[in-house]
């Protein structure tokens, strides 16, 4: 079990990114959360088996229709054993 924090930049707010990320997370079988940041980026934490987390990170690099992802910067964070993927309030 691993957990990654991702900061997604580009045109990623106002395009349903967080909601689509939650649907993708359910398909890939990962947990965590996503939220908008005040700087216009989306922050997410993804937890699960390494191959599933990698597939979710690949999805974040594309995003939903209407998004234009410029970059996804990731870092390792300790697993917290979420039971679902949630959308958090903006930070």
């Amino acid at each position: 079990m691993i957990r990654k924090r991702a900061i997604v930049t580009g045109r990623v707010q106002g395009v349903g990114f967080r909601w689509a990320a939650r649907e993708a997370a359910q398909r890939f079988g990962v947990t965590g959360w996503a939220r908008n940041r005040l700087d216009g980026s989306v922050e997410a934490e993804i937890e699960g088996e390494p191959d599933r987390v990698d597939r979710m990170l690949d999805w974040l690099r594309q995003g939903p229709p209407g998004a234009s992802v410029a970059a996804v910067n990731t870092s390792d964070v300790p697993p917290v054993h979420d039971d679902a993927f949630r959308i958090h309030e903006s930070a």
Side-chain angles (χ1 to χ4, degrees):
M1 185 80 56
I2 65 168
R3 189 175 185 96
K4 298 277 188 178
R5 176 174 293 134
I7 306 296
V8 186
T9 58
R11 186 168 30 103
V12 295
Q13 290 190 14
V15 295
F17 200 101
R18 295 171 297 155
W19 305 100
R22 184 172 65 182
E23 290 175 8
Q26 291 169 343
R27 279 195 316 273
F28 297 133
V30 296
T31 61
W33 52 265
R35 67 181 174 192
N36 286 341
R37 291 170 32 129
L38 295 177
D39 64 3
S41 65
V42 169
E43 179 180 15
E45 288 192 7
I46 293 88
E47 183 172 317
E49 295 303 319
D51 62 322
R52 293 174 182 260
V53 171
D54 286 344
R55 283 189 274 171
M56 184 66 189
L57 291 173
D58 286 343
W59 183 91
L60 290 176
R61 291 180 183 99
Q62 299 299 313
S68 179
V69 176
V72 178
N73 296 309
T74 63
S75 58
D76 295 327
V77 292
V80 298
H81 308 289
D82 291 322
D83 61 359
F85 191 92
R86 295 180 171 80
I87 296 170
H88 285 190
E89 293 296 318
S90 298

